[in-house]
Amino acid sequence: MLVLLLALIGTCAALCPDGYLQISRTDCYTIYFTNQTTFVAAEADCVLDGGHLASLHSYDEQHSLAGMTYGMNPLIGMKCDDEAIANCTWTDGSVVDYQNFPGGVPVLSYGGCVRLGSNDEMWYSWNCAAPTDSFLCKVPAYDDIVTIPVEMTTAEPVPTTPIDHIKGCPKQQYTADTYVFSPNWPSPYQAGVDCLYFITAKNSRKLTIQFEYVETNDMIIVYDGSDMQSRVIANVTGKNGAAVWQYYSTGSTLTLDFIANSTTGGKGWSAAVYNV
């Protein structure tokens, strides 16, 4: 007779801080929105999050961020002493093994810092001392111990496999300025998800949310308050284009209810939320 045992197996799952998007097993990204931050101050803000201004090391890495950066010109972590790529460095100290300047070389028309093009994924120079409207932070994903009940028998041990990501909904609590998105964005989410997002402004200010992409069959209900009893601002669905849908709160909180109408999963949606 087989003896059944219930074992609790701990395995590591890579996680991101609130408001950060996990693109790979090891890295998380977010955009901050501002009109008063210089390169040095932006780097300091990223360091407070445990990372740096983003370094980019391949086309695939940069392209995976296109949904987050589209329509914006965020600063990244490169700084160049002159128009030779050999004299450019990343603030995180990583090797410069990829660049996407027009013509293949830095053209420092505005200064030695670098930001992304708003819709072409190219890199352009920027004055390091000038205020920027946004900047891209990159932090390492951290490991969390997930306890998984596993049924085992004395006849045949059950193998364990590391979890690549946590399925289902992302974390619920967010603080502006931040980026929110469907599970696994920009990869497809699993079918049947229904996720809630609770967003709070800093210093009791008001919020604005900008939707940049919404899958045709999905819906996001935007509530003007801290729960689903609040007034509905919008039912957002089926958006895919260059224009941005933007809504404002009357108070310091917003609640989002993401309802996946598709039975097969889909790409989902992405939106930026910041203080006003």
Side-chain angles (χ1 to χ4, degrees):
M1 182 176 65
L2 297 178
V3 179
L4 296 179
L5 302 175
L6 185 64
L8 296 179
I9 297 177
T11 185
C12 289
L15 300 176
C16 292
D18 285 346
Y20 274 77
L21 170 66
Q22 186 171 351
I23 295 297
S24 69
R25 172 69 177 161
T26 58
D27 297 305
C28 308
Y29 306 79
T30 197
I31 284 186
Y32 282 100
F33 302 91
T34 176
N35 58 5
Q36 298 178 340
T37 299
T38 63
F39 178 83
V40 171
E43 169 67 8
D45 284 343
C46 294
V47 169
L48 287 175
D49 283 353
H52 294 274
L53 282 169
S55 59
L56 301 173
H57 297 281
S58 69
Y59 172 78
D60 288 342
E61 180 183 14
Q62 179 174 346
H63 187 64
S64 66
L65 296 167
M68 176 185 291
T69 62
Y70 186 87
M72 290 170 280
N73 300 101
L75 275 176
I76 57 176
M78 178 171 281
K79 190 173 183 181
C80 299
D81 294 333
D82 54 42
E83 295 186 350
I85 195 66
N87 294 323
C88 297
T89 56
W90 293 113
T91 57
D92 63 7
S94 59
V95 63
V96 178
D97 51 7
Y98 171 74
Q99 56 84 19
N100 201 25
F101 291 103
V105 295
V107 178
L108 307 184
S109 303
Y110 297 98
C113 290
V114 179
R115 62 180 188 171
L116 303 182
S118 61
N119 56 16
D120 61 4
E121 299 187 37
M122 303 302 292
W123 299 7
Y124 298 96
S125 69
W126 185 249
N127 183 343
C128 298
T132 182
D133 59 357
S134 58
F135 57 93
L136 181 65
C137 289
K138 177 179 180 179
V139 304
Y142 60 91
D143 287 336
D144 190 26
I145 300 299
V146 179
T147 302
I148 305 173
V150 178
E151 186 179 74
M152 299 190 302
T153 72
T154 55
E156 184 178 355
V158 177
T160 61
T161 302
I163 296 177
D164 289 331
H165 62 276
I166 295 178
K167 295 181 179 180
C169 299
K171 293 184 178 181
Q172 292 185 325
Q173 304 292 336
Y174 296 86
T175 302
D177 303 307
T178 190
Y179 207 85
V180 292
F181 37 80
S182 55
N184 297 328
W185 172 267
S187 300
Y189 57 80
Q190 63 183 8
V193 295
D194 186 347
C195 302
L196 290 175
Y197 302 74
F198 302 99
I199 308 166
T200 303
K202 296 177 182 176
N203 302 320
S204 299
R205 295 165 64 182
K206 295 180 181 180
L207 296 163
T208 183
I209 183 167
Q210 294 182 345
F211 288 92
E212 298 166 3
Y213 181 96
V214 178
E215 187 84 358
T216 302
N217 293 325
D218 297 330
M219 176 181 291
I220 305 98
I221 304 174
V222 183
Y223 296 92
D224 186 19
S226 60
D227 55 40
M228 290 190 293
Q229 303 303 313
S230 305
R231 179 179 67 91
V232 174
I233 298 176
N235 293 301
V236 182
T237 186
K239 179 186 182 305
N240 186 358
V244 175
W245 286 355
Q246 185 169 8
Y247 305 96
Y248 292 86
S249 69
T250 58
S252 61
T253 57
L254 284 173
T255 299
L256 309 182
D257 184 10
F258 167 44
I259 303 170
N261 292 327
S262 173
T263 59
T264 59
K267 183 175 180 179
W269 56 275
S270 62
V273 186
Y274 53 93
N275 292 290
V276 292

